[in-house]
Structure formats: structure tokens, C-alpha cells
Amino acid sequence: MAGRLCLKSDGTAIFSAFGRAAYSFHREENDEVLHTKTLGFSEEARLVAEGPNDSIVIATGKSLHAAVLTKNGGPEARLENAHRSVITALATDSVGSLVFSSGGDLKISAWRLELEESRFMPLASVDCAVWTMALLYIPETNTLFSGGMESKIRVWKFQANELVELVRSPEAHGILNLRYSPEQQMVLTSGQDGSIKTWRFQGTRVRPVATALGVHSGCRTVAIDTQGRSVIVASAGEDLSIKVWKLEGSEIRLMACEEDAHNDGICKVRLHLATGHLVSACNCGDIVVWLLQGEALVRLAHVKQAHPGAIFTLKFDPYKKRLLSAGSDGTIKVWILRGVELTLLKSDEACHSTGILCITFDPASGFVTSGAIDSSIATWTLEEEGTLVKRTVRAGAHAGRIFSLRYDETTRLIFSSGADCMIRCWREPQGIVLGGNGTGGTINTTMQALDGGDGSHVVELQLVAALETKLTRPALAVQFHPTSGLLLSAGMDGHIRYWRVKGDHILQESMGEENEDMTVPLLALEMDTSHDFIVGAGMDGTLKLNRMEASGLDLLPPSVVAHDGWCRCLQYDQTNDLILTAGDEGEVRAWRLSNDELVLVAETEEAHPDGARGLCYEASSKSVFSAGDDAAVKIWRLDIRTREPRFTMPDAHASIVFAIRVVDGNNPKRRASTVLSAGMDGRVCAWELRGGQLSLMCEIEDPGEGILALRLDAYSGLIVGGGLEGAIHVWQLQSPQGTHGGPPRMPLLAMQAGHEGWVRALDFYAAKDLVVSAGDDGILCTWKVAQDSLVLLASTRGTPQEKHSEGILAVLYHYKAGLIVTANSDGALRLWDSRDDSSSLELKSTTVGAHRGGASVLEMDAAWGDVLSAGKDGYLKFWRLCEGALQLQSETLASPDGGIAAACYDPAKRIAVSAGIDGRFRTWSVVGNSKEMKLLVEVGGVHRGSAVAVAHSAFCGAVITAGKDGSLRVWSALEGELVPLGAAKTGTGGQTFMALPGTQSTGRRGKVL
């Protein structure tokens, strides 16, 4: 991925571009990163990306550069004025040697990097309306995504050295980054508004292209490939002939024909235009390799009886010239083509106990799958020398033989169809790692192993999804289209059907009226995913060519504001559905993508005070690399924690703790919060929460009866409390600095008897010195704090409103609207008007039955007028203050086994925390304007089975809980943590790496390009 920071695909090196230089770093085994090389330039280096053959591609000003960074150096390339203005985005395909760039000249250009010739060869260029700031290329489908100041996503197909626009999204935002999730069929963007947005391809349709009738008497197999603008189809069948067809407009023209290609019915053909090879196999076990020369087929190699029986399936790697064949003998044989000879490398006699009908092969990783007549599916690794190493097996994958298999290299999903009229989706268990370049994978030995049949141990293939209902007749062929995420099937009923994996089901999708199916059984179905062509072969010899097209990109609600300012960097780990971002405020954040929702998992504290500009992520090691505006590279590890408290204060109170409140400090750089706690022992304590730990700051002078409610103003240091004796107390918070002989005592400033019975609810608005109190007597009061006294302003006692109020369990004061919200023991929520300096109280509205049983919790986001309530029915509910009434926005059953004792809400972080009577606390992400709640974390069995109070510190990213055992516990509010491991160091001396703006970096002189 191109950017200020780039991680090499094998994870061994990191590259950065800052100032007038590009820097190379080597990763050590001990999590250290060492600076190894500097390349200096005459202009600012803005972007760096991995190129072919250990090279990097750098964009500086208007120019493109490439250099090999091996120990002894290597060829270089430079293209001055690749654009007429500064280059704004870069993308590369290191395998295909492709480079895509965009610039201030409002063009997107495609190049081929030819290092041996030291040049960038121009391939294509298209105009754009505004600056393009992000490019992403998917080589598997030849698809280029672009986004920028136009606030649209554009999707291009790169074919025949042309960029052809396919679809574009509606208006989005100033797009700075693009990532693509093939498995979820989603595009992720981040931009100038600091948000992350998700998009999905919608409206995929199938357009008929051409039809040829009667091409064979019994067509059994087809193959399709494209090169440049040429679309070529090969077909064969029972008439012993092989025919090659070319698409010309809306017609399929016969290009080449070999009448007696085999002595028996032809079971399989494979076509590869890049090398001109066509491979065929027949019922008698022969394999023939052909060369397509012009419009003629030339026999290149012939192996008679390659298998003792029919060969049902072939896979060919045209670049390494390796061929895999399998058939009725149950073996998979590996061959190599050397000139005009096809030589057997290996033959595994124990692949399956019965005939093999289908295999798949990914040449890049050496990953092989096989499906057999005995209903088993196995996966293998093909080693360089031709040995097949078994990885997983699934016996009884279908109730009957396996007709077809399809493997998607990007999502690593395996699709199968069988004689039981079912289609299923499979995946290898986590812990099995694919080998690269044909080398074997590794298996986590802690996973449950099965007997591989030869004394080896393998693990079982895992079922992901299946059809909800069976087909009427079996599907003989399946194909997967990675761009749209659609699965295609064809079979004896003559229909091509389209499916999508959703959860654990494979559901059928309609493709509209343009999808005209065959009227006879379909025996073969093939797809060219790079150009989206589909070819089907009918039993009557008909060939039909279709093309899949996506009609648009739809925005998936909701988007998430990830950063204050621009969201500069975006990375995506599709295996674990993790997204990492970095922004202008300098923080790095990790998010989990769950059911199309983004949930915060972890975040840093002051990662880059000058702003983050680069980000890389390695999924296998959970390593995160970030860079700031000063070019400093920092290393982090993303830890997903077990749910244990970060800190416990076991004897904070002598008995049950009823109330805790958290106020974040005035100085954000201090990253500390003040925590108040009070309980049955009558003590009120103030604690400093810093670095995840609590330390006692001060406590009240003379503890009295139990305190049930607390409020604190961080600026004045005034604490208001109320409890069992029915009085309201005011204390002054004391600083612990300069004290000796234990923590200082907080003096009592005022005390006023205000209620008959317990005071259960308080709120304090310090700007007006206003206190709101309520309790068991059902009376609502407002008070003014005046030096050492409390002056009663208004009360519902003795007024007509008194009869409308049951026992009050919680109160909130909305200072903007002058309204008071009360939660009552009858389950109702009431709104009171307290205008005119709070000297009068008037009932405005009553929401009857807001909760079944008592409503005991109220929290508010005063900026938006959102109210969170909770009660004995176990529900969390969000309400919106609107025209003097409460309107329900969302609700969730947060404590199904009992009521909610306490809850808190942080509108800045959009996190709610609930504490249940069942002894479990849960952290929720509050999503979108609808305030939908998504569970983040759940922990049970705390505080002797009952958590009575809970609070959240945004500064510290912590949840504080209290309960019957008198302890205070500090938990991480999020599922994970970004643990700092250090910073990049110089290769000599081990000092922290510091980039200088010219051609020099600490420790060594850079080379100037």
C-alpha cells in the first residue's frame, strides 16, 4: 500500500517518505526496527510503495522514481514530469510491475516499471474532474479504485492498456484513503471530515453478449481467457474435437479447430493466452498440450495413459509450466512442461480412496483443493519439488459425490457442489498459514488434529455456510465472482443461478430480466474474473457468453467519525475484520467491522503530538507501524485482552459502594481523572485515576450515614452528596500536594435537611450554583449553593405537582432547555420546567411505562438533548428531548437476567456502560444518530455477583466499577490495547531514528537520486 509509510509484502522491511528523502528500515526478530538506507531527492518525497524485485517506487513532486534497495543496490528508474503538477496518489502491483499515479494535472495514469530498461513505460491515462487523493489496485480482478476531492469513488477496469470506468459512487466526502474487502464486498474510505465510511457494490446484473449454437455434439468442457481486447473461448466434448472461438462484437467466430484431438471423449480443457498454451485430457487418460499459434492449434506434447482411466480435471500454471491432473484413479499427479515434453514430477497414490472429479490450484501459494466421489474434500500444499502435503480434510462434505470446487484466493473461501443438490462454503481453521511461492504452509499444532490416513495428522475443514433449501437438481459447476461477491452455479436444470454468502447461509439473488438461462442442461461453467466474462456450455452443444456488470456503489449507514480533523491513514485486516486509522490529532485507533458496523477496539494516547501521517499493519503479528509529521516511526502491538481488571482497590470502602462519579481533569495532557466514591460506611473518597491505577487524594472529615448520590464540579472542586439521612451535603475537594500524615480531609461547607427518607438522586450545575435533589418521598427540590449554606429555590411539596411524582430514583438537569428529567419508581419518566431561575417547578410531560418496574438510571448528552435511561426491566433506552416531551430513539435488552443497577454514557466517545443486578457489566458502542447500541465488552462475576455503581473515564479509556464487596475496580473500556513497543532506531549505535529534511539521516549519509 502506498503512503508516507509502506510495509513490504513479506513483512521484512518498512519504507517511509518524508522531507526530501525516502528511508528503508529492516525488521529484527526482537520487534526492533533499524534504519538501513536513505535515498535523497531534490524535491519532497511524498509517497512510497513496494515495487517489483525488491524495489520501491517513490513519488517526489511531479516525478516518479524506482530503486532496488538490496545490499549491493541494483537498477534504478526515473521519470521526470510524470504529471504536469504534484503527484497526489500512488498504487502499485509488485508482481505485475504496474504503477498507477494521479496528480494535480487531474489525470490518472498507468505505467509498467521496466527496471532492466530503467524506465516507466506509459500504458494508459484518463482525465478526472478534480484532484485524486487515493488509488487502490486489485490485481486479481484488474480493478482500480480512485477517490479524492470530487467526493466520489470511481471503479475502473484496467484492460488492454486502457482504464475503463465501471461505476461511481454518490457524493461521499473528501476521500484520502481507500481499502477494499473482497469477502464482504465492501469499499472502505476515510477523508477530510475524519470519518470512516463503508460502501458495497449493488445492482450487479448479467448482460448477454453472444451465443453459438451446435458447436459440438455433446459439449462437456469449456475454458475462457482474455488478453488485451481479445476474448477467447475453448470448447471440447464427446465428438473428440477441440474448437477455439473469438468474440467479435456480438458474435462468436470459430478461430481454430482440431477435429480428432483425442481418441476418446474429451473431459477437460484449459486455456492460457499469455503463453498460448491449451491443455486437454480425455476418458482414456491421455493428456495433450497444444500451442495456439495465430489461428491454429499445434500439438506440443502428448502423454498417453497419464492416468489409468478418465481424467476429470486439470489445472495448469503457465509460468512455472506445472500441470496438475486428477481422475478416476483417485490420484493427483504433478507434471512439468519442458519444451515439447510433459514430465511427471510426483504422483500421490493416496489422495482419495475413490475418483477425483474436481481440483483447484492457486499457483502463487501452492494451495490445492480436491473433491472426490466418496464425498470428501481435502486441501493440500504443493511443494516446489512437486510433493503434495495434506493440510485439511472433510469426510462427508456432501451426501454423495463432489461435482465442483471453487477457491477464492482473496477471501480463502472454498465453494463446493455435490450430488445431494447442495452448495456449501468452507474455510480452513485459523492457525493454518499458506505458504508463499509454492512453499508449504504451517499448521498450529494446538488445533485438534485428525488422522490423515498415512500416519500424518491434519485438521478438519470448517463449514462456513450452506444453502437454506436444496436445489431441485444438482449443480455441476460453481464459479465465484470476487468483485461482486456473487457465487454462480449451473447444472442439469439448465439455469445459471446467483448466490451470496450471508452469515451461515447461501442465499439466491435475482439478476433481473436480462439474465436469460439455457433451456437444456448446463454441463460446464467458466469465468474470466479479470474481465467478468461467463461462458456456459449446454448439453446440446450451445455456447453462451455473458458479462457481469455492477451498476453502482451504495453507502452503508452509519459512518463513524474516527478522528478530529482529517483521517489521514487507513488499513484493513479482512481476516480479523479489523480496521486501523490515524489522523490529524496524532492518534492511532483500531476498529472492528461487525455486521456492517464499526466498533472501537483500541486507541493510543499521544502517539504523535504533531499529527499522524503514515500507518502500516501486519495482521499475522498484530504489529502496527505509525509515523508522525516529524517522520518518527513508532511500533505498536495490537493486543486483544482477556477480561481482567487492570487495577483493584480491594478495601476502598468497608461495605457496599452505592455511588461513583468520574470527572476528567482540566488538563488533557495530564491524562488523569478524579473518581469519587461513597457507600454505606458514610465515607466519601476522592481518587486520582492515572495510568489505569487509583490513588487516594482525600476524603471527608467526619463520615456520617451512607451516601447514595454524588456530583462533582472539576473547576470549583465542589462536591454535592445525599443519602440515608435525607440531607444534602456540600464538601470542598482538597489537593493532596504538600500534605503529610495521610490524605487531606475535605471540609464540609454546607448541609441542609431536604427530604423525608433517603436522598437517592442529585444533579449539580455549577455555572448557576444549582443543585437538584429528589428521593423516596417523591419530592423534587432545587437549591442554590451560597457560600456555606444551601438555599431552597423551589419544591413540589404541597403543590398540585406533588401527587404526580412517585419515589424518585434519578434526576437530570438540562441547562440549555431549563428542564429537569426524573426517573421514578413507577417506571415513568417525567419532564419538569424549572425556568425563572429555577424558582418554580411545573410538570411538562409524563412518559408512562418507560420501563417496567422502577426507572433507576438517567444520563444525558446536554449538547444534543439525548437522555439515556435504564431500569429494573433490564433495558437501556435512548430518548430525544423534543418540544417538551421525550421521544424514544433506541432500546436494547442490556441485562436479560435482572435489572440494571447503574449505567453511564460518554457522548464524546459514544460509549455507554451498564451494570446489571446479575453481576455483569457491559460496554456498548452507541452508533449513529439513531443511537443504536452494539455490545463491545461483557464481564461477569464481579463484586460478589452484584455491580452497584459504574462510571467511565474518557481520558483514561477506563471503566470503574463498584459493588457489594466495597472494592473499586478499573477495567479497560475497549476490547483491545495498542501497546507501544518502541521506535525505529538507527542501524549504527541504536539511537532513536530521527529524519532530517535533506539527504542525510542520523547515522549515515544518504544517496541522492
Side-chain angles (χ1 to χ4, degrees):
M1 299 292 183
R4 290 285 190 177
L5 207 60
C6 171
L7 178 66
K8 193 176 179 183
S9 55
D10 63 7
T12 59
I14 299 167
F15 313 109
S16 68
F18 285 92
R20 295 183 180 182
Y23 305 93
S24 174
F25 304 86
H26 184 264
R27 288 184 65 191
E28 303 290 311
E29 293 182 358
N30 57 356
D31 287 328
E32 284 194 346
V33 174
L34 300 180
H35 169 241
T36 57
K37 198 167 188 177
T38 299
L39 299 176
F41 301 95
S42 59
E43 296 179 289
E44 182 186 3
R46 298 173 57 88
L47 299 164
V48 62
E50 183 179 7
N53 303 320
D54 292 321
S55 69
I56 60 172
V57 179
I58 310 106
T60 68
K62 299 180 286 186
S63 304
L64 291 172
H65 307 261
V68 176
L69 296 181
T70 54
K71 183 176 181 181
N72 298 320
E76 300 170 353
R78 180 187 311 168
L79 179 63
E80 302 287 348
N81 299 318
H83 290 265
R84 293 196 302 271
S85 185
V86 63
I87 295 174
T88 56
L90 187 67
T92 60
D93 171 20
S94 59
V95 176
S97 299
L98 295 175
V99 177
F100 299 88
S101 61
S102 64
D105 56 359
L106 310 185
K107 289 186 179 294
I108 299 175
S109 300
W111 319 83
R112 176 168 284 110
L113 175 56
E114 298 177 349
L115 279 170
E116 296 302 324
E117 302 294 330
S118 298
R119 66 179 181 178
F120 289 86
M121 174 67 70
L123 301 177
S125 182
V126 292
D127 293 326
C128 297
V130 295
W131 281 26
T132 297
M133 304 298 294
L135 291 172
L136 175 66
Y137 181 63
I138 310 298
E140 291 82 4
T141 57
N142 292 339
T143 306
L144 180 72
F145 295 85
S146 67
M149 297 300 101
E150 185 186 17
S151 297
K152 293 181 187 294
I153 304 168
R154 292 189 177 193
V155 185
W156 312 79
K157 182 69 74 172
F158 181 62
Q159 57 189 38
N161 290 342
E162 288 186 1
L163 282 167
V164 179
E165 186 173 2
L166 299 179
V167 296
R168 66 176 67 183
S169 72
E171 293 292 329
H173 48 158
I175 296 170
L176 301 177
N177 296 280
L178 282 163
R179 293 295 179 264
Y180 178 55
S181 164
E183 183 167 346
Q184 306 244 11
Q185 289 308 303
M186 282 195 301
V187 181
L188 298 118
T189 64
S190 68
Q192 290 177 309
D193 59 1
S195 71
I196 307 170
K197 287 183 168 65
T198 55
W199 310 77
R200 177 165 285 144
F201 284 102
Q202 298 291 353
T204 303
R205 64 190 182 98
V206 177
R207 178 173 59 86
V209 176
T211 301
L213 302 175
V215 299
H216 293 277
S217 57
C219 183
R220 290 184 59 181
T221 178
V222 290
I224 184 170
D225 199 6
T226 54
Q227 186 176 39
R229 301 187 182 201
S230 299
V231 180
I232 307 297
V233 175
S235 62
E238 295 296 337
D239 60 4
L240 313 185
S241 67
I242 297 175
K243 296 180 180 180
V244 181
W245 310 82
K246 184 176 184 179
L247 176 65
E248 294 183 347
S250 59
E251 295 183 357
I252 304 176
R253 178 180 68 85
L254 181 63
M255 191 174 77
C257 178
E258 188 71 23
E259 290 290 348
D260 295 310
H262 284 266
N263 296 324
D264 206 342
I266 301 172
C267 303
K268 207 69 177 177
V269 291
R270 287 292 168 205
L271 175 65
H272 297 276
L273 291 180
T275 59
H277 289 103
L278 185 149
V279 186
S280 59
C282 69
N283 286 331
C284 67
D286 288 2
I287 298 175
V288 179
V289 181
W290 310 83
L291 196 60
L292 184 61
Q293 292 184 338
E295 296 195 354
L297 277 174
V298 178
R299 190 186 296 258
L300 194 64
H302 185 188
V303 178
K304 294 185 176 181
Q305 293 187 328
H307 288 256
I311 297 174
F312 295 129
T313 182
L314 294 169
K315 292 295 176 183
F316 183 53
D317 175 4
Y319 302 103
K320 292 186 177 180
K321 303 295 190 295
R322 293 183 299 180
L323 174 71
L324 275 69
S325 62
S328 59
D329 60 352
T331 66
I332 301 175
K333 295 188 177 183
V334 183
W335 311 78
I336 188 165
L337 180 64
R338 296 188 176 104
V340 295
E341 291 188 0
L342 190 63
T343 305
L344 181 66
L345 282 179
K346 292 286 181 178
S347 175
D348 192 335
E349 302 296 337
C351 289
H352 290 271
S353 60
T354 58
I356 299 172
L357 297 180
C358 48
I359 58 174
T360 72
F361 175 43
D362 175 24
S365 63
F367 183 71
V368 178
T369 69
S370 58
I373 293 174
D374 65 2
S375 75
S376 65
I377 298 174
T379 65
W380 314 78
T381 295
L382 177 61
E383 304 283 2
E384 282 290 346
E385 71 277 9
T387 301
L388 283 168
V389 179
K390 186 176 287 186
R391 299 160 60 90
T392 66
V393 67
R394 181 76 181 218
H398 287 262
R401 60 185 62 193
I402 310 293
F403 285 131
S404 181
L405 287 173
R406 187 60 48 193
Y407 173 66
D408 178 50
E409 295 88 352
T410 307
T411 62
R412 296 179 62 176
L413 293 175
I414 302 165
F415 299 93
S416 64
S417 65
D420 55 0
C421 300
M422 288 294 291
I423 299 173
R424 294 187 170 94
C425 176
W426 313 85
R427 175 183 278 139
E428 289 192 322
Q430 289 189 354
I432 300 182
V433 181
L434 284 180
N437 301 317
T439 60
T442 61
I443 298 178
N444 183 345
T445 55
T446 62
M447 292 186 295
Q448 185 176 3
L450 303 173
D451 188 351
D454 57 356
S456 64
H457 293 285
V458 295
V459 294
E460 189 173 41
L461 204 61
Q462 293 181 345
L463 180 66
V464 175
L467 296 183
E468 286 188 302
T469 57
K470 289 185 177 183
L471 300 169
T472 56
R473 303 185 72 180
L476 301 180
V478 291
Q479 292 287 334
F480 183 71
H481 184 241
T483 303
S484 64
L486 288 172
L487 177 70
L488 289 71
S489 68
M492 296 301 292
D493 61 1
H495 294 284
I496 299 177
R497 301 183 188 275
Y498 303 87
W499 315 85
R500 191 181 299 279
V501 177
K502 294 183 178 179
D504 57 357
H505 294 297
I506 300 175
L507 304 179
Q508 188 168 1
E509 292 207 354
S510 172
M511 290 291 104
E513 296 179 358
E514 289 186 289
N515 176 29
E516 299 176 3
D517 298 318
M518 296 282 203
T519 57
V520 296
L522 285 167
L523 302 183
L525 185 72
E526 291 291 334
M527 174 180 284
D528 170 30
T529 56
S530 63
H531 294 81
D532 304 332
F533 283 104
I534 309 161
V535 62
M539 186 179 286
D540 62 351
T542 299
L543 287 181
K544 185 163 184 176
L545 194 63
N546 295 328
R547 193 169 193 178
M548 298 187 70
E549 297 174 343
S551 60
L553 279 167
D554 286 354
L555 178 63
L556 301 177
S559 60
V560 170
V561 178
H563 295 273
D564 295 331
W566 291 14
C567 184
R568 297 271 184 176
C569 311
L570 180 68
Q571 295 291 330
Y572 179 56
D573 169 14
Q574 69 174 18
T575 302
N576 300 297
D577 285 327
L578 288 171
I579 297 168
L580 286 100
T581 61
D584 276 347
E585 83 282 78
E587 302 301 351
V588 178
R589 295 190 171 103
W591 311 78
R592 186 177 297 286
L593 183 61
S594 177
N595 297 323
D596 294 345
E597 303 287 357
L598 288 168
V599 175
L600 185 63
V601 171
E603 60 183 340
T604 59
E605 294 183 6
E606 297 182 306
H608 298 280
D610 55 347
R613 294 295 181 268
L615 185 68
C616 294
Y617 178 62
E618 185 182 57
S620 60
S621 64
K622 297 289 193 298
S623 297
V624 181
F625 307 91
S626 62
D629 230 3
D630 59 357
V633 177
K634 294 186 178 182
I635 308 107
W636 316 80
R637 184 182 64 248
L638 178 60
D639 282 352
I640 306 299
R641 297 189 203 78
T642 57
R643 299 312 305 164
E644 296 292 338
R646 294 164 61 181
F647 179 81
T648 299
M649 182 65 69
D651 299 315
H653 290 267
S655 60
I656 184 171
V657 178
F658 285 122
I660 49 177
R661 300 298 296 184
V662 171
V663 176
D664 289 327
N666 300 332
N667 182 6
K669 291 184 178 294
R670 183 168 169 76
R671 313 299 293 184
S673 300
T674 300
V675 179
L676 288 181
S677 64
M680 185 63 77
D681 60 2
R683 292 175 64 213
V684 176
C685 300
W687 314 80
E688 183 183 62
L689 175 62
R690 183 175 173 82
Q693 296 194 350
L694 289 169
S695 58
L696 185 62
M697 296 169 54
C698 52
E699 59 180 297
I700 62 174
E701 290 180 328
D702 299 309
E705 297 189 42
I707 299 297
L708 304 178
L710 281 173
R711 287 293 189 271
L712 166 65
D713 175 56
Y715 293 91
S716 65
L718 292 180
I719 300 170
V720 181
L724 303 184
E725 58 190 5
I728 296 99
H729 304 75
V730 181
W731 296 279
Q732 178 66 54
L733 184 68
Q734 298 292 298
S735 171
Q737 296 179 358
T739 62
H740 301 280
R745 303 293 178 174
M746 295 184 286
L748 180 66
L749 300 183
M751 184 178 73
Q752 181 66 52
H755 293 271
E756 297 174 1
W758 294 2
V759 176
R760 293 186 180 270
L762 284 173
D763 204 359
F764 179 34
Y765 181 50
K768 288 187 175 182
D769 294 321
L770 178 67
V771 175
V772 182
S773 66
D776 286 346
D777 57 4
I779 303 300
L780 181 64
C781 297
T782 57
W783 311 79
K784 184 176 181 64
V785 180
Q787 293 183 349
D788 58 353
S789 65
L790 280 164
V791 179
L792 181 65
L793 297 177
S795 171
T796 59
R797 179 176 285 112
T799 67
Q801 284 76 27
E802 182 177 358
K803 63 181 180 181
H804 294 289
S805 182
E806 302 288 338
I808 299 175
L809 305 179
V811 296
L812 280 177
Y813 176 67
H814 191 303
Y815 64 89
K816 287 187 174 181
L819 294 174
I820 297 172
V821 188
T822 62
N824 299 73
S825 57
D826 60 358
L829 300 181
R830 292 178 169 86
L831 279 179
W832 305 80
D833 192 340
S834 65
R835 294 185 184 275
D836 301 326
D837 296 327
S838 303
S839 59
S840 64
L841 294 168
E842 178 185 350
L843 182 64
K844 295 283 292 182
S845 66
T846 301
T847 304
V848 178
H851 290 273
R852 296 189 306 275
S856 55
V857 177
L858 287 174
E859 291 284 318
M860 179 179 286
D861 176 7
W864 295 97
D866 295 325
V867 175
L868 174 68
S869 69
K872 292 183 179 179
D873 56 3
Y875 275 88
L876 281 176
K877 298 187 179 185
F878 269 101
W879 311 80
R880 171 63 57 86
L881 276 172
C882 184
E883 297 180 355
L886 289 170
Q887 293 182 350
L888 183 64
Q889 289 181 286
S890 68
E891 60 181 338
T892 189
L893 184 58
S895 182
D897 297 325
I900 297 175
C904 61
Y905 174 50
D906 181 353
K909 294 289 186 179
R910 301 182 70 85
I911 285 177
V913 186
S914 61
I917 295 174
D918 59 0
R920 309 185 72 83
F921 82 82
R922 298 167 175 89
T923 306
W924 308 82
S925 173
V926 182
V927 181
N929 293 330
S930 64
K931 297 294 188 292
E932 186 179 358
M933 286 165 275
K934 301 291 183 181
L935 184 63
L936 292 176
V937 174
E938 180 175 350
V939 179
V942 298
H943 301 288
R944 298 179 186 170
S946 180
V948 176
V950 66
H952 175 253
S953 166
F955 272 11
C956 302
V959 173
I960 303 94
T961 62
K964 290 181 178 179
D965 59 0
S967 68
L968 298 178
R969 300 188 185 186
V970 181
W971 311 77
S972 294
L974 301 176
E975 176 187 357
E977 183 179 8
L978 282 162
V979 180
L981 300 180
K985 300 181 182 301
T986 61
T988 57
Q991 299 93 354
T992 299
F993 166 78
M994 294 294 291
L996 298 181
T999 61
Q1000 185 176 349
S1001 68
T1002 302
R1004 61 185 63 197
R1005 182 81 178 170
K1007 176 183 177 182
V1008 178
L1009 288 181

